[in-house]
């Protein structure tokens, strides 16, 4: 046997013996414990000032409930009075101030914390506990991100107000600064269109230096940390690089964030040296020491907890939540994630107890052990005693359930937490029970860390390749369209028409021009449109040309989220949802204020956009005018449009992608002279064929034929 083979054999033998001999002491707890069931922590936490309560994912509802019981014990019996959340410094500070000024506790939490907590049913027990004890409890946020409505709507305004009140100067334009922070928050992109990174950095650094000269007061402490946070999120977004694609929850991409989170907490402790603090966040951020990990991706990650442990030593205690779940909810399906038979999780699972506590203060925990503490799927080796000081094992976890009518907000907020796992980002709704036939093999699912940077890199590449993937020269095509108009579910107008269309290229902003060649009225009753131009979506029907979400500058203001990766038209595509918090024409391309969102299908191989679904929900309608009911029976006095959905499809023809079909659905109401409200639906289905790229027939706008009666 050669030396290399012998070495491998002895290592495997050693690992096997280690696994077989691993038998740490455990403490069994009730499945539904009360605060007093955690009395054993009194000795475990002797002389501890900071307790870090971790969670494997941010979606295990019963973990939230049990963490609340632990917090009750720590507060009532051990005097811990500050709860620090993995949420924004500004957001949580604002929440604390507003609670002190009589705002409802529940509202303050909803506007500050990540909604993965504040807007789930299982977190409400904590809100109730805090509300009852708010006179003696305090809040702090240690995340460097903007995490809630407070931060998005009020941070910049409050920063300039603070500067004015304290004779400080921030040499940045208020509006431009607000737009830039919005871009960083929504897209993870530093948009230098209005403010360069150097100006951003120098202006905030100068302000920070000037604040440091102020007296030691809490308001100056908070704004110092908030400005540090703004500097780090700016640095992180400006120095963006190709993200590390990984099945692990965290990578070195998170190092800037984790370092600043540690700074936020340590500076708070320096300013409040006598407070006893409970931290609520993810296990991975609370890791004490990563040195025993040799797995390449993880060993480069420097967790927040390692900075805290180095500074506070035995005065900080990290308690991680662990499960032995053998599946995850991914892409709306349950996916198998088998437990390694020689792992820490397998040992705990074999105990078959609903809830266990395992202290790292025992020699058994010093052994190198396989564990799944950094991924929902993969196991790595590490010394468990170095990772965390203690572990709470849950034999079963229940997915958190979102509060009714708040699911959309929960999904938007989870996008902003780069610590979330792939599985967590895929689905925040309550999972429905699935049958065995619905369980899929993970081999069929593309696993990737869907960070904001990664998602935006896909969008950026799609935009960069538009001129490569789509026609930039003029061409003709034949358009066939059917328009069907229904009032109270009854068709009042149905028309087929055909025309020759002239496009000037998708890199132009000029609309296409059309020449009608055939019109067929199938039904012609209450509504008789005069021209194609009455249907705006038929004239400006190409989102590759007009969609703000695909504009290189405006796209940075959008929120993008990879929904899934699947096969579409025999090719793998990224299915990416988009939305924008702005409702005006610049971004929506609609004169009426509207909520604009949709879905993009982007091919993996060439980053071509092959399908786009756009949605407009109109916030209001303009004052009624005669034009609103132009072409309608005179019995109708006003018309309102409430929503619009447009689906556009592109197909590859001679190496370029052309718009080949679209479906449009417009919904609203008609009000008649008797004030009756009548629901209307307009369906417009079109397809394009017979593309002619060589010597196309030019149709000028003067030569257009858009009138149906001609």
């Amino acid at each position: 046997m050669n030396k290399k083979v012998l070495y491998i054999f002895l290592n495997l033998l050693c690992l096997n013996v280690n696994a077989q001999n691993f038998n740490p002491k455990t403490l069994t707890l009730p499945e539904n414990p009360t605060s007093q069931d955690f009395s054993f922590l009194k000795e475990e936490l002797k002389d501890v000032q900071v307790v870090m309560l971790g969670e494997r994912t941010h979606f295990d509802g019963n973990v939230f409930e049990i963490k609340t019981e632990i917090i009750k014990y720590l507060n009532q019996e051990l005097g811990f009075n500050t709860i620090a959340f993995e949420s924004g410094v500004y957001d949580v500070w604002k929440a604390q101030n507003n609670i002190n000024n009589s705002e409802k506790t529940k509202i303050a939490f909803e506007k500050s914390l990540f909604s993965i907590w504040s807007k789930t049913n299982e977190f409400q027990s904590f809100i109730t506990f805090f509300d009852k004890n708010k006179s003696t409890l305090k809040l702090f946020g240690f995340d460097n991100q903007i995490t809630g409505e407070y931060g998005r709507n009020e941070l910049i305004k409050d920063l300039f107000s603070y500067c004015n009140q304290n004779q400080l100067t921030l040499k940045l334009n208020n509006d431009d600064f607000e737009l830039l922070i919005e871009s960083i928050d929504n897209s993870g992109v530093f948009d230098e269109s209005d403010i360069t990174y150097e100006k951003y950095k120098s202006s905030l650094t100068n302000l920070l230096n000037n604040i440091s000269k102020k007296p030691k007061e809490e308001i100056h402490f908070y704004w110092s940390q908030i400005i540090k946070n703004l500097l780090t999120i700016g640095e992180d977004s400006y120095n963006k690089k190709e993200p590390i694609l990984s099945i692990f929850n965290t990578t070195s991409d998170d190092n800037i964030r984790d370092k600043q989170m540690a700074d936020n907490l340590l500076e708070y402790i320096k300013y409040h040296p006598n407070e006893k603090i409970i931290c609520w966040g993810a296990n991975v951020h609370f890791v004490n020491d990563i040195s025993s990990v040799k797995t390449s991706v993880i060993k480069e990650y420097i967790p927040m907890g390692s900075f805290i442990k180095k500074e506070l030593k035995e005065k900080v205690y990290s308690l991680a939540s662990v499960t032995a779940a053998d599946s995850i909810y991914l892409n709306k399906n349950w996916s198998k994630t088998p437990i390694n038979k020689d792992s820490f999780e397998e040992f705990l699972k074999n105990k078959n107890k609903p809830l266990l506590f395992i202290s790292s203060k025992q020699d058994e925990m010093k052994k190198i052990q396989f564990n799944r503490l950094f991924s929902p799927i993969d196991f790595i080796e590490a010394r468990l005693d170095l990772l965390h000081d203690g572990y709470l094992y849950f034999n079963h976890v229940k997915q958190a359930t979102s509060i009714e009518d708040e699911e959309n907000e929960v999904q938007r907020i989870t996008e902003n937490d780069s610590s979330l796992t792939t599985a967590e980002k895929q689905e925040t709704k309550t999972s429905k029970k699935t049958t065995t036939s619905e369980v899929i093999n993970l081999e069929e699912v593309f696993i990737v860390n869907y960070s904001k940077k990664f998602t935006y890199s896909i969008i950026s590449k799609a935009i960069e390749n538009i001129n490569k993937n789509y026609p930039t020269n003029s061409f003709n095509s034949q358009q066939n369209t059917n328009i069907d108009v229904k009032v109270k579910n009854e068709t009042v107008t149905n028309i087929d028409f055909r025309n020759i269309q002239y496009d000037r290229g998708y890199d132009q902003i000029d609309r296409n021009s059309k020449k009608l060649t055939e019109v067929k009225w199938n039904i012609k009753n209450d509504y008789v449109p005069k021209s194609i131009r009455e249907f705006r979506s038929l004239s400006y029907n190409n989102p590759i040309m007009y969609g703000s979400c695909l504009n290189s500058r405006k796209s940075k203001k959008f929120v993008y989220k990879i929904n899934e990766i699947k096969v579409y038209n025999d090719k793998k595509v990224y299915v990416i949802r988009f939305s924008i918090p702005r409702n005006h024409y610049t971004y929506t391309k609609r004169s009426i204020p509207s909520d604009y969102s949709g879905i993009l299908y982007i091919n993996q191989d060439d980053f071509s956009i092959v399908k786009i679904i756009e949605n407009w929900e109109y916030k209001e309608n303009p004052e009624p005018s005669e034009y609103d009911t132009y072409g309608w029976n005179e019995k109708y006095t006003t018309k309102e449009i409430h929503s619009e959905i447009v689906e556009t499809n592109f197909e590859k023809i001679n190496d370029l992608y052309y718009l080949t079909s679209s479906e449009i659905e417009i919904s609203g109401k008609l009000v008649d002279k008797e004030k009756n409200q009548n629901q209307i639906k307009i369906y417009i289905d079109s397809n394009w064929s017979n593309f002619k790229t060589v010597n196309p027939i030019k149709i000028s706008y003067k030569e257009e034929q858009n009138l149906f009666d001609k």
Side-chain angles (χ1 to χ4, degrees):
M1 183 181 294
N2 63 43
K3 291 183 179 180
K4 185 175 181 180
V5 173
L6 179 61
Y7 175 78
I8 294 172
F9 173 76
L10 291 174
N11 266 286
L12 290 173
L13 180 63
C14 180
L15 286 174
N16 190 47
V17 170
N18 239 12
Q20 290 177 347
N21 292 335
F22 183 70
N23 190 28
K25 294 178 182 178
T26 62
L27 175 65
T28 302
L29 300 170
E31 185 172 6
N32 299 301
T34 63
S35 59
Q36 290 307 309
D37 290 314
F38 295 100
S39 58
F40 63 89
L41 289 175
K42 184 174 184 178
E43 184 62 29
E44 187 76 11
L45 301 178
K46 189 176 181 181
D47 299 325
V48 168
Q49 181 185 4
V50 177
V51 177
M52 294 182 162
L53 296 183
E55 51 200 43
R56 181 186 67 96
T57 79
H58 294 312
F59 295 95
D60 296 334
N62 56 325
V63 174
F64 299 169
E65 294 170 331
I66 289 179
K67 285 172 75 169
T68 298
E69 293 302 316
I70 295 174
I71 290 171
K72 289 179 183 178
Y73 176 79
L74 296 179
N75 170 247
Q76 295 164 357
E77 303 297 333
L78 302 185
F80 285 81
N81 60 343
T82 299
I83 320 297
F85 279 96
E86 185 189 328
S87 287
V89 172
Y90 171 84
D91 293 275
V92 181
W93 180 41
K94 188 80 171 181
Q96 178 70 79
N97 289 336
N98 285 3
I99 290 170
N100 293 345
N101 290 314
S102 302
E103 182 167 64
K104 290 183 178 179
T105 302
K106 186 175 185 296
I107 299 298
F109 276 119
E110 288 180 350
K111 290 183 176 181
S112 59
L113 302 188
F114 280 122
S115 292
I116 45 178
W117 295 309
S118 65
K119 292 183 179 178
T120 56
N121 290 303
E122 292 76 7
F123 188 78
Q124 301 311 300
S125 59
F126 173 80
I127 295 178
T128 300
F129 165 73
F130 187 91
D131 188 54
K132 289 181 179 178
N133 298 276
K134 59 188 175 185
S135 61
T136 58
L137 292 174
K138 290 181 66 177
L139 290 173
F140 180 65
F142 57 79
D143 206 328
N144 72 329
Q145 299 181 102
I146 296 168
T147 60
E149 189 177 324
Y150 288 141
R152 293 186 182 91
N153 296 340
E154 302 180 42
L155 191 158
I156 303 304
K157 179 187 69 175
D158 283 355
L159 174 55
F160 277 97
S161 176
Y162 163 75
C163 290
N164 291 335
Q165 292 171 10
N166 290 276
Q167 294 75 52
L168 295 165
T169 301
L170 175 57
K171 295 181 179 180
L172 294 173
N173 177 273
N174 191 322
D175 292 337
D176 291 342
F177 187 34
E178 191 168 16
L179 284 173
L180 175 57
I181 295 302
E182 188 177 312
S183 173
I184 292 171
D185 179 45
N186 287 340
S187 306
V189 172
F190 196 102
D191 182 1
E192 290 193 282
S193 302
D194 301 310
I195 299 174
T196 66
Y197 176 66
E198 286 306 315
K199 184 176 181 180
Y200 176 91
K201 182 180 178 181
S202 62
S203 299
L204 288 175
T205 301
N206 288 337
L207 177 58
L208 187 62
N209 291 335
N210 289 331
I211 293 175
S212 68
K213 300 172 186 176
K214 294 287 183 181
K216 186 180 179 182
E217 296 175 7
E218 186 159 278
I219 189 170
H220 302 313
F221 155 75
Y222 269 103
W223 281 112
S224 292
Q225 294 309 122
I226 293 165
I227 291 165
K228 288 182 188 178
N229 294 336
L230 292 174
L231 282 166
T232 55
I233 64 173
E235 176 190 1
D236 205 13
S237 58
Y238 178 74
N239 295 322
K240 65 181 186 298
K241 57 190 179 193
E242 283 296 315
I244 299 171
L245 305 185
S246 168
I247 57 174
F248 294 105
N249 298 348
T250 50
T251 69
S252 59
D253 284 346
D254 298 289
N255 286 349
I256 292 176
R257 179 188 176 208
D258 273 73
K259 184 178 181 181
Q260 186 55 47
M261 289 198 296
D263 180 79
N264 289 333
L265 183 60
L266 289 172
E267 289 299 314
Y268 182 86
I269 293 169
K270 287 179 185 177
Y271 196 82
H272 306 87
N274 298 320
E275 289 187 16
K276 300 182 77 174
I277 301 166
I278 304 165
C279 295
W280 183 309
N283 286 341
V284 287
H285 297 307
F286 296 163
V287 169
N288 290 323
D289 186 340
I290 207 91
S291 62
S292 65
V293 175
K294 305 304 178 186
T295 304
S296 58
V297 175
I298 295 299
K299 72 178 183 179
E300 304 300 327
Y301 167 59
I302 307 173
M304 165 194 175
S306 64
F307 296 98
I308 308 298
K309 196 69 170 181
K310 183 178 180 180
E311 182 73 20
L312 300 184
K313 298 181 173 56
E314 299 308 310
K315 293 178 70 177
V316 62
Y317 187 100
S318 176
L319 178 60
S321 298
V322 190
T323 75
D326 60 359
S327 60
I328 58 174
Y329 198 61
L330 181 67
N331 290 339
K332 301 181 181 180
N333 287 285
W334 283 104
S335 304
K336 278 295 188 182
T337 56
I339 301 298
N340 187 317
K341 68 177 182 178
D342 296 326
S343 66
F344 181 40
E345 286 82 356
E346 178 69 7
F347 165 78
L348 296 171
K349 184 178 181 181
N350 288 337
K351 290 288 183 179
N352 198 28
K353 300 294 183 182
L355 190 63
L356 293 171
F357 169 73
I358 309 94
S359 174
S360 291
K361 299 176 182 178
Q362 49 182 312
D363 289 341
E364 284 294 290
M365 297 294 282
K366 295 179 180 179
K367 294 179 179 179
I368 297 289
Q369 199 69 22
F370 279 107
N371 66 84
R372 199 166 64 184
L373 296 170
F374 293 91
S375 168
I377 301 164
D378 248 22
F379 287 81
I380 66 170
E381 293 178 282
R383 266 182 58 177
L384 298 171
D385 68 314
L386 294 180
L387 298 181
H388 300 281
D389 300 295
Y391 297 85
L392 202 60
Y393 170 72
F394 294 76
N395 202 38
H396 297 287
V397 289
K398 300 174 183 176
Q399 192 172 14
T401 57
S402 59
I403 296 173
E404 188 177 5
D405 297 329
E406 300 294 350
E407 294 174 353
N408 290 336
E409 176 68 6
V410 172
Q411 291 171 350
R412 188 179 72 79
I413 296 299
T414 59
E415 172 80 4
N416 292 328
D417 186 359
S418 60
S419 74
L420 300 183
T421 67
T422 299
E424 293 164 358
K425 288 186 176 181
Q426 289 304 304
E427 190 67 42
T428 61
K429 298 177 182 178
T430 308
S431 61
K432 296 180 180 179
K433 292 183 179 180
T434 55
T435 64
T436 305
S437 62
E438 292 176 302
V439 176
I440 62 173
N441 190 327
L442 269 184
E443 301 283 330
E444 301 168 2
V445 181
F446 190 89
I447 305 297
V448 68
N449 183 7
Y450 296 152
S451 67
K452 286 189 293 187
K453 289 183 180 179
F454 173 72
T455 306
Y456 191 80
S457 72
I458 302 302
I459 298 297
S460 181
K461 287 176 182 176
I463 294 172
E464 289 170 6
N465 282 278
I466 283 178
N467 286 352
K468 176 183 174 183
N469 286 324
Y470 303 91
T472 56
N473 296 318
S474 58
F475 63 92
N476 290 129
S477 61
Q478 178 179 291
Q479 177 186 355
N480 294 281
T481 295
N482 173 264
I483 298 175
D484 185 81
V485 181
K486 295 182 184 295
V487 177
K488 295 196 294 186
N489 293 322
E490 182 178 345
T491 297
V492 297
T493 299
N494 188 283
I495 180 174
D496 290 304
F497 66 86
R498 176 178 296 172
N499 63 43
I500 300 299
Q501 181 166 303
Y502 177 73
D503 282 272
R504 293 158 176 80
Y506 292 2
D507 60 337
Q508 305 293 314
I509 60 171
D510 295 329
R511 66 171 176 83
N512 56 53
S513 47
K514 307 175 189 290
K515 183 173 286 188
L516 272 167
T517 60
E518 184 177 345
V519 177
K520 180 183 178 183
W521 290 93
N522 303 310
I523 299 176
K524 195 176 184 180
N525 290 331
D526 281 355
Y527 176 48
V528 184
K530 305 298 182 184
S531 168
I532 297 174
R533 297 295 303 282
E534 290 182 39
F535 303 94
R536 185 189 186 282
S537 297
L538 280 176
S539 297
Y540 296 90
N541 62 329
N542 193 335
I544 298 296
M545 298 171 63
Y546 305 113
S548 297
C549 62
L550 298 174
N551 175 281
S552 58
R553 181 177 178 184
K554 294 175 185 175
S555 64
K556 296 167 186 175
K557 304 295 190 286
F558 281 73
V559 178
Y560 299 96
K561 176 185 177 182
I562 293 183
N563 195 50
E564 61 180 327
I565 297 175
K566 69 176 188 178
V567 175
Y568 177 76
N569 287 342
D570 298 324
K571 288 195 174 184
K572 275 190 176 180
V573 297
Y574 298 103
V575 181
I576 299 178
R577 291 187 177 274
F578 68 87
S579 61
I580 184 142
R582 304 177 185 198
N583 62 18
H584 54 83
Y585 179 86
T586 302
Y587 294 94
T588 67
K589 296 300 179 185
R590 294 295 184 269
S591 57
I592 304 173
S594 58
D595 290 333
Y596 177 51
S597 62
I599 303 174
L600 302 171
Y601 285 59
I602 301 176
N603 277 348
Q604 278 191 346
D605 57 0
D606 60 4
F607 298 98
S608 60
I609 303 144
V610 294
K611 181 176 181 177
I612 304 175
I613 301 173
E614 300 172 280
N615 301 283
W616 290 265
E617 294 290 335
Y618 295 108
K619 309 280 284 183
E620 61 186 64
N621 275 271
E623 289 296 318
S625 69
E626 292 182 1
Y627 181 77
D628 292 341
T629 53
Y630 181 74
W632 286 91
N633 187 300
E634 63 181 11
K635 68 182 178 183
Y636 298 113
T637 57
T638 58
K639 182 185 73 175
E640 292 181 8
I641 299 300
H642 299 156
S643 65
E644 185 176 0
I645 302 171
V646 179
E647 177 179 321
T648 313
N649 295 282
F650 299 84
E651 293 180 19
K652 197 169 190 178
I653 302 170
N654 297 329
D655 297 324
L656 294 173
Y657 291 86
Y658 291 80
L659 193 162
T660 55
S661 67
S662 75
E663 296 178 14
I664 301 169
E665 178 180 326
I666 301 169
S667 301
K669 70 178 181 181
L670 285 167
V671 180
D672 60 27
K673 292 179 179 178
E674 284 73 41
K675 306 298 182 183
N676 297 313
Q677 297 187 6
N678 306 277
Q679 184 189 48
I680 60 169
K681 289 270 191 181
I682 302 173
Y683 301 91
I684 308 172
D685 293 342
S686 303
N687 62 73
W688 288 261
S689 59
N690 300 334
F691 292 88
K692 182 182 180 183
T693 58
V694 179
N695 298 322
I697 300 170
K698 183 177 180 180
I699 303 173
S700 68
Y701 295 130
K702 288 183 178 180
E703 296 172 316
E704 273 194 301
Q705 172 53 269
N706 290 312
L707 299 176
F708 291 127
D709 63 356
K710 290 188 178 181

